[in-house]
Amino acid sequence: MAYDYAPFPYIAPPGLAAPEPRHPVIIVGAGPIGLAAALELANHGVRSVVLDDNNVVSVGSRAICWAKRSLEILDRIGVGEACVEKGVTWKVGRTHHRAKEVFNFDLLPDPGYKMPAFVNLQQYYVEEYLVTRCEESDLVDLRFKNKVVSVDQGEDCATLSIETPDGPYTLEAEFVLACDGAKSPIRTMLGLDFEGELFEERFLIADIEMEADFPAERWFWFEPEFHSGQSALLHKQPDNIYRIDLQLGWGSDPEEEAKAENIIPRIEKVVGHSDFKLDWTSIYTFQCRRLKRFVHDRILFVGDSAHVVSPFGARGGNGGLQDVDALGWRLAAVVTGRAPRALLDRYDAERTYGSDENIMNSSRSTRFMSPSDGADRWFRDATLALASHAEFARPMVNSGRLSMPCIYPINAPDAPGLPAVSRPGSVAPDAPQGNGWLLSMLGGQMTVLAIGQPAPDGIEAITLEPSPEITARYLGDEKAAIYLIRPDQVVAARWTKADAATIQAQIDAIWEGRA
Amino acid sequence: MSLITAKNIEDHDGAYADLLAAHRGLDTEASAALNARLILILMNHIGDRAVLREAIDLARTSGT
Ligand SMILES: Cc1cc2nc3c(=O)[nH]c(=O)nc-3n(C[C@H](O)[C@H](O)[C@H](O)COP(=O)(O)OP(=O)(O)OC[C@H]3O[C@@H](n4cnc5c(N)ncnc54)[C@H](O)[C@@H]3O)c2cc1C
């Protein structure tokens, strides 16, 4: 069943009648990233205004693969369970070369995590759930059909000019989050540019609706018989919607290719029949680029406005949610006076690092999928040829390395006997706790975990008994440990033994932006 | 371990002849493809990223 794009209501903003008081945070853009940022700030008690020039959710499925970390973040802001319930949980990927399967992976359901490895769900559903949540929140003021047309930064605030169906008005904010997407008008207004690579490749992306029993797996083809010399992807979404991506090559004419009479025969060849309905199509050019810096005084870039990657690693939507994760608690602390502005530089450092990792992975996949003539193509073809003869070449076949949260290179106390999965800089692994989950207990606070030992005097901590999951993920060979977890659930430091002063010094360093 | 640059194959003339024999009758493109497969196979056999880097460096700087 095709999605019903019901428009959200426009309500005349108070600023049209009389100047509004200065807002702590204004978010430009109600895509998944802007909406998630508003809810994350609300979790930390910070009010925001969200402005969007449009009044419907994302047209077309766009970002469809939501990774475990994203689902955990979405869960913290109240929509994770809805996404998992509606979405298609999948774990198997199959990669074919011509008619032969050359590589497959199974993201085994690792028990003892609340969230699955991946869920496929159209971006419009994720946005719909986020909008509902924002409307329920007293701390989020969501304004559709409010288009930002200019921005100005002064000593103590930023000023936005906004156009509405009832005319223009202005707003002041201490901080502006530019969540206005890949074509970010705010980026242009500031005269900033992306740096990085544009690949000469085009993909056709289509959502089709059909009754079929294709398994909930990711199917990728290199040079399939049905699409000569190119690549193709088929991925299942809820509501009998399937996503098909077809490589077109740079020589193709995008306008010509986008015509239904050219698209339909191609898809017929993929699915083997013509009993489907074309729901949405788009042509996608590959880019792997980012802004040099994400923080520009009072204007902070988050999501696609800050970085864009080619789609096959699911790093667009997922990468943006990790920005939100890294920014929310820090911005809340700055706005409420808990921390100095320097804390925002840590957002910049961590997310430009994360973005580089995403760009590196996406560029590698793109080079494999769409090799330029010469060495790139020789080695790509050699890998594909070897894959059906030698095991080592199979994992080298690169149809996209799926998004994983990056491990931040933080310089923090660590103890050698503790397991690698929870080393400082990693997201704290989830684990069952009673009837619930560890990550829900952590919430979004700075938390000390005392595992297998009491908390040191003077330190407030959650004490955990070493269950099998806790032992595997947090203790390894040790009997006891102390973990310091940041509000974004990233492990900040860990010790086998630590006194209150040591722990407190580390907490202070984090709030002061030194760690 | 570091890259072995001293003689390391007992019958080097024989091994060299095997390499040429594998390319015999191939056009330039097929030869390039064979070389690419061969390099990937040998890379995997060596398995040590540091050694591979040394090898790549040597190949790159010894062309003139
Ligand atoms: C065709 C297509 C296919 C894609 N496929 C995939 C995929 O398969 N996998 C994947 O991970 N990602 C995919 N992406 C990328 C994914 O959609 C983005 O990473 C994700 O939407 C980023 O979210 P965002 O909130 O940063 O930006 P957007 O979702 O782009 O949201 C930006 C919002 O800002 C609003 N806005 C813009 N200018 C103004 C203004 N002046 N004033 C007020 N509001 C403004 C826009 O209306 C929009 O609502 C795809 C994108 C496209 C376009």
Side-chain angles (χ1 to χ4, degrees), chain A residues 378-379 382-383 385-386 392 396, chain B residues 32-33 35-37 39-41 44:
Chain A
W378 295 336
F379 285 113
T383 306
L386 282 167
F392 81 85
M396 292 173 78
Chain B
N35 275 339
R37 291 196 298 276
I39 289 169
L40 292 175
I41 292 165
N44 180 66

Side-chain angles (χ1 to χ4, degrees), chain A residues 29 31-33 52-53 62-63 123 148 179-180 185 243 282 284 304 316-317:
Chain A
I33 305 313
D52 197 277
D53 57 348
R62 293 175 69 196
Q123 184 169 323
V148 174
C179 302
D180 51 348
R243 168 76 157 268
S282 173
Y284 202 95
D304 272 15

Side-chain angles (χ1 to χ4, degrees), chain A residues 20-53:
Chain A
E20 295 181 35
R22 183 175 299 165
H23 296 279
V25 180
I26 293 179
I27 297 171
V28 183
I33 305 313
L35 294 166
L39 291 169
E40 175 69 2
L41 287 169
N43 266 359
H44 291 284
V46 172
R47 205 172 265 292
S48 63
V49 177
V50 184
L51 306 171
D52 197 277
D53 57 348

Side-chain angles (χ1 to χ4, degrees), chain B residues 23-58:
Chain B
H23 282 273
R24 200 154 301 137
L26 300 184
D27 62 18
T28 312
E29 207 169 302
S31 259
L34 177 88
N35 275 339
R37 291 196 298 276
L38 187 58
I39 289 169
L40 292 175
I41 292 165
L42 297 175
M43 268 177 58
N44 180 66
H45 187 84
I46 293 165
D48 183 328
R49 183 107 183 258
V51 173
L52 290 171
R53 275 212 212 94
E54 272 189 77
I56 291 168
D57 264 1
L58 177 58

Side-chain angles (χ1 to χ4, degrees), chain A residues 207-219:
Chain A
D207 281 343
I208 62 166
E209 195 184 330
M210 66 175 172
E211 301 275 346
D213 51 2
F214 283 107
E217 297 180 344
R218 177 187 197 262
W219 286 5

